[in-house]
Amino acid sequence: MTTAAAPSLGAENPWLNAQRQFDNAADILELTPGLRAVLREVRRELVVRFPVKLDTGDVRMFEGYRVQHNTTRGPAKGGLRFHPETSLDEVKALAMWMTWKCALVNIPFGGAKGGVVCDPRALSRRELERLSRRFASEITVLIGPESDIPAPDVNTGAQIMAWIMDTISMEAGYSVPAAVTGKPLDIGGSEGRPSATGRGVTIVALEACGKLGIDPGEATVAVQGFGNVGSVSAELMHEAGFRVCAISDLGGGIYSPDGIHIPALLAHRSHTGTIERFAGTTPVTNRELLELPVDVLVPAALENQITAANAGRIQARLVVEGANGPTTPDADSILERRGITVVPDILANAGGVTVSYFEWVQDLQSLFWEEGEINRRLERILQRSFGQMWRQAQAHTVSLRLGAYLVAVKRVADATAVRGIYP
Ligand code: GLU
């Protein structure tokens, strides 16, 4: 099938797309013009430019952002990404999506995001540490357990969170573990946090399969991305009985209609440093992977992967958005017309921030839970949120994304209305 749909203006600007998604929900909820104006803008955006000393002794300037979209339901919450193509508009969109995500799973946070324009692969470990620490220092005006709590995102992980936690603590003069989540276990991290996003993807994929009458034991899956989200999703979906047939990372992908043994692939990657040339598979590009004949597609890389240009060729019956913003609004309409179900990012990848919430609670109480407890609580929250999203979508005969937005935006709108406008 070919697609003739022309992309709308600014179709790949994530911020315009985020506002468009919000507007669709605001229309149905009939928000007052005032409330709509409040919620469709970000509350604070901080742009910082800072020097980092390279190993050569030279100094290079970097640009970074921390954006708080909304703090009505609690402290701002959201990750930090290190990526050469990140931008203020991208970070604003990601911050808004965090607000809806936290509201949908009903945890007491607002939404934030941050980023540094850099290619971490081109930096040494010591340069990366200096960059992380200096960036943390630049944004300390916003960060803290009661105000704004960063976490990992694209190209950032537990080590970078440890450096950021240490920097904030050194500047405060005492340890502030609850200022950052996704930390290593040794310094107040939570059991289950590294696998939480992929676990959440798997939980909601199983819920969606149940509703659509897809038997996981018979279903094939393609996963785009093999970072924290993609690799854990592939592993846990494999464990849950799905046949994972395709996987990709930055360098391209691999495909086997008979299925890929994910534990063996993980071993292959830790030996060779790549997923390429895994026995029994053929190479595919990232683009081709999206269009493979599978039942379930899990985009778990970056934004704007499913667009008006390829949505007509997606063959999966179910898309579970492990990444933030992988489907543009134009593509959403095409998928909806074609009867393809999309479990939206704000639910599908909410496992990460949900366990971040558990981590923050544990840090504040200095009382730590076992992994079984964490995973049970996570499953309960995601299953309940899935049901609420599903019922809203059915009640209004709209997509799951719009159903999810109706739940989330209403919660933030109600909280805003009851708090009132200061002064
Ligand atoms: N970066 C993750 C997300 O996009 C996690 C955020 C967090 O744990 O605060 O949801």
Side-chain angles (χ1 to χ4, degrees), residues 117-325:
V117 185
C118 69
D119 180 1
R121 288 170 314 163
L123 298 171
S124 73
R125 182 181 162 91
R126 294 170 68 168
E127 289 168 339
L128 195 59
E129 175 173 355
R130 288 195 289 272
L131 179 144
S132 304
R133 287 183 178 280
R134 179 62 189 250
F135 176 60
S137 177
E138 293 292 334
I139 63 170
T140 39
V141 285
L142 294 179
I143 305 305
E146 279 92 33
S147 54
D148 185 348
I149 305 125
D153 196 75
V154 174
N155 292 335
T156 57
Q159 177 60 75
I160 290 175
M161 296 309 116
W163 289 328
I164 292 174
M165 177 272 195
D166 183 68
T167 303
I168 290 166
S169 299
M170 295 313 288
E171 290 185 358
Y174 50 88
S175 286
V176 195
V180 180
T181 61
K183 300 178 297 294
L185 281 178
D186 317 275
I187 54 168
S190 177
E191 295 286 354
R193 178 62 185 84
S195 56
T197 312
R199 183 172 300 279
V201 167
T202 309
I203 292 167
V204 301
L206 288 167
E207 291 294 300
C209 285
K211 293 285 190 192
L212 300 176
I214 299 175
D215 174 1
E218 301 285 320
T220 54
V221 182
V223 182
Q224 187 201 41
F226 209 54
N228 172 263
V229 182
S231 65
V232 177
S233 301
E235 196 178 1
L236 296 181
M237 289 180 85
H238 174 86
E239 260 175 40
F242 290 94
R243 179 146 50 99
V244 182
C245 296
I247 300 266
S248 64
D249 65 11
L250 279 179
I254 53 173
Y255 175 50
S256 163
D258 300 331
I260 297 168
H261 190 266
I262 304 300
L265 175 65
L266 287 165
H268 168 84
R269 188 182 59 170
S270 61
H271 284 129
T272 65
T274 169
I275 61 170
E276 285 165 48
R277 293 178 297 279
F278 182 63
T281 64
T282 50
V284 284
T285 65
N286 263 294
R287 291 272 145 211
E288 288 163 350
L289 176 136
L290 298 171
E291 299 171 15
L292 289 172
V294 290
D295 299 302
V296 185
L297 176 62
V298 181
L302 290 169
E303 299 95 64
N304 296 335
Q305 299 303 302
I306 306 175
T307 67
N310 62 0
R313 294 192 298 270
I314 303 295
Q315 299 192 61
R317 296 159 64 192
L318 172 64
V319 177
V320 183
E321 295 185 326
N324 289 309

Side-chain angles (χ1 to χ4, degrees), residues 77-81 94 98 101 113 149-154 181-182 193 197 324 349-350 352-357:
K77 186 83 190 80
L80 298 173
R81 69 173 49 179
L94 290 160
M98 286 308 302
K101 192 183 300 185
K113 205 76 169 202
I149 305 125
D153 196 75
V154 174
T181 61
R193 178 62 185 84
T197 312
N324 289 309
N349 68 39
V353 75
T354 302
V355 178
S356 275
Y357 165 58

